[in-house]
Amino acid sequence: MASSTLTPAPAPQLAHGATMPDSRPDHPRHRLGDALRAIRVYAVAAVEVVVLGTGGKR
């Protein structure tokens, strides 16, 4: 029979000035900006894979 003890993990450390998502309920979400940023990330990844052929080599 095996036994083990689990301890809770420490809270994640954030960079200076960084906030967790939804940590400031008084600050409005920027859904359009978030959507445009996501589109840009996917577009850059597609260009890297198709044109430059660097998929997964970062």
Side-chain angles (χ1 to χ4, degrees):
M1 181 149 92
S3 64
S4 63
T5 303
L6 300 176
T7 58
Q13 297 296 319
L14 299 175
H16 179 68
T19 57
M20 294 291 285
D22 298 330
S23 65
R24 293 188 51 199
D26 61 326
H27 186 73
R29 296 282 312 219
H30 301 285
R31 293 184 190 268
L32 178 61
D34 291 344
L36 292 174
R37 189 174 300 111
I39 291 169
R40 187 187 77 186
V41 168
Y42 282 112
V44 168
V47 167
E48 287 181 353
V49 169
V50 173
V51 176
L52 304 174
T54 59
K57 294 182 184 175
R58 277 200 165 193

